[in-house]
Amino acid sequence: MILRNNVLNRDNKKPILWDAFFNDNETQKPIVIFCHGYKGFKDWGSWDLVAEHFLKNNSFFVKFNFSHNGGTIIKPIDFPDLEAFGENNYTKELDDLDSLLNHILSNTFEYSKEIDTNNITLIGHSRGGGISIIKASEDSRITRLITWASVCDFGKRTATIGDLETWRKQGVKYVLNGRTKQKMPHNYQFYEDFIANKERLNIENCEKKLTVPHLIIHGKDDPSVLYKEAEYLKLWNPKSKLLPIENSDHVFNSKHPWKTKSLPEALQEVVNSSIKFIM
């Protein structure tokens, strides 16, 4: 069964759009929640194909849009709501993930017969990897963690000293989206929120505190998040497992849109290794 574009409404917060892929057979399955990265969304590229592989291996696979990723309920692909994008920050994304977990694990969840609430894996790609590491370190409900091309430090990505004062004065700075050609806004609140929550958002400390198994997967030729960042995660958590993917970029040689019926070889290796780790 594939359930697309379910809406999780929340009081005084933006709704969350989510998909679920699972075999509808009333048997308990591992829950897998996938967190997209920066300038990402649940319907990007080959993520549907990825979800179908987890379905075939009898997981309850959930992917979702962070509430302020720039998509809307009506138009979830790309970034029609740049105002929301500008108001995004790391703590909002952690709160979104918590809301989704609470919904799926609630006694009123419509598909509760399909899930094993004691078997919950987070998978995070890129920035979503950092969010997943933090969440797994502070939420005892998580039983496994897998990161794909994860960042290891939010601090160095949040601001550079040279333009910080300009950012504060102007209230916003922009990053060009190379694919859509949109100027993506980052309001100064992003930096303020990071500073206010700097201790919580320290990925190094969170990695060191992890008590659940962690599989780190990273492309050796990733130009966006260098492989060195995966090595740092492994260094901070010697019990983790590091899997390098040869001849692979940041999205494991996938792209958006993805028009073929099979995954690129590198991403297929990522998916196979992730499923094996969970099962």
Side-chain angles (χ1 to χ4, degrees):
M1 178 177 287
I2 299 176
L3 304 172
R4 299 185 188 275
N5 296 328
N6 306 281
V7 181
L8 173 57
N9 289 304
R10 304 179 295 169
D11 292 339
N12 303 315
K13 296 178 181 178
K14 289 178 67 65
I16 296 170
L17 203 61
W18 60 280
D19 301 342
F21 289 64
F22 63 98
N23 293 313
D24 186 11
N25 54 16
E26 294 194 359
T27 60
Q28 292 186 332
K29 307 165 187 64
I31 301 168
V32 181
I33 299 179
F34 176 77
C35 304
H36 68 74
Y38 176 60
K39 294 187 288 188
F41 45 94
K42 68 179 180 62
D43 301 307
W44 182 92
S46 53
W47 294 154
D48 269 359
L49 280 177
V50 166
E52 289 171 9
H53 278 281
F54 280 87
L55 180 156
K56 291 174 184 175
N57 284 272
N58 210 35
S59 295
F60 191 96
F61 187 93
V62 175
K63 55 189 178 74
F64 70 104
N65 280 350
F66 285 111
S67 64
H68 287 70
N69 78 322
T72 66
I73 298 301
I74 303 301
K75 296 181 178 180
I77 296 176
D78 288 336
F79 314 100
D81 191 352
L82 290 179
E83 182 178 349
F85 185 92
E87 283 299 308
N88 197 19
N89 57 51
Y90 302 125
T91 57
K92 279 190 174 78
E93 293 189 351
L94 285 164
D95 184 65
D96 290 345
L97 180 52
D98 189 64
S99 293
L100 186 63
L101 274 164
N102 292 341
H103 176 65
I104 293 171
L105 299 178
S106 70
N107 294 331
T108 58
F109 185 55
E110 184 177 357
Y111 304 100
S112 59
K113 292 182 179 180
E114 305 292 342
I115 60 175
D116 181 356
T117 58
N118 296 310
N119 192 339
I120 304 172
T121 299
L122 295 184
I123 299 180
H125 175 251
S126 193
R127 178 162 130 179
I131 293 295
S132 297
I133 291 168
I134 295 167
K135 185 60 175 170
S137 76
E138 64 184 23
D139 192 326
S140 62
R141 295 174 296 182
I142 309 305
T143 55
R144 288 185 189 84
L145 171 66
I146 304 173
T147 50
W148 297 354
S150 178
V151 301
C152 74
D153 184 351
F154 280 152
K156 67 182 182 182
R157 286 180 165 81
T158 302
T160 57
I161 299 300
D163 70 353
L164 187 57
E165 184 61 19
T166 300
W167 190 11
R168 185 188 66 79
K169 288 181 177 179
Q170 296 181 349
V172 61
K173 66 177 180 179
Y174 296 90
V175 174
L176 179 68
N177 186 317
R179 182 176 60 82
T180 67
K181 307 307 178 185
Q182 291 167 291
K183 292 175 64 178
M184 313 290 285
H186 293 274
N187 295 341
Y188 188 66
Q189 64 79 30
F190 187 88
Y191 177 75
E192 292 178 312
D193 180 79
F194 173 75
I195 293 300
N197 296 280
K198 194 172 182 179
E199 184 175 346
R200 183 190 184 195
L201 298 174
N202 187 310
I203 296 174
E204 177 180 351
N205 289 343
C206 291
E207 185 68 36
K208 290 176 177 178
K209 290 192 298 183
L210 280 178
T211 59
V212 299
H214 183 191
L215 174 60
I216 303 162
I217 306 180
H218 211 109
K220 290 296 292 291
D221 300 319
D222 189 336
S224 302
V225 180
L226 299 182
Y227 183 74
K228 188 70 177 177
E229 301 211 28
E231 294 179 320
Y232 279 125
L233 294 175
K234 173 64 177 175
L235 177 67
W236 298 331
N237 181 6
K239 292 182 179 180
S240 65
K241 179 180 178 182
L242 174 57
L243 175 63
I245 305 296
E246 301 292 340
N247 304 311
S248 173
D249 62 14
H250 186 56
V251 287
F252 306 103
N253 303 335
S254 187
K255 63 180 181 179
H256 183 83
W258 187 256
K259 297 182 179 180
T260 65
K261 298 294 185 181
S262 59
L263 294 173
E265 184 178 342
L267 185 53
Q268 186 66 65
E269 181 181 356
V270 170
V271 170
N272 291 345
S273 298
S274 298
I275 291 172
K276 183 178 179 181
F277 183 73
I278 292 168
M279 299 301 181

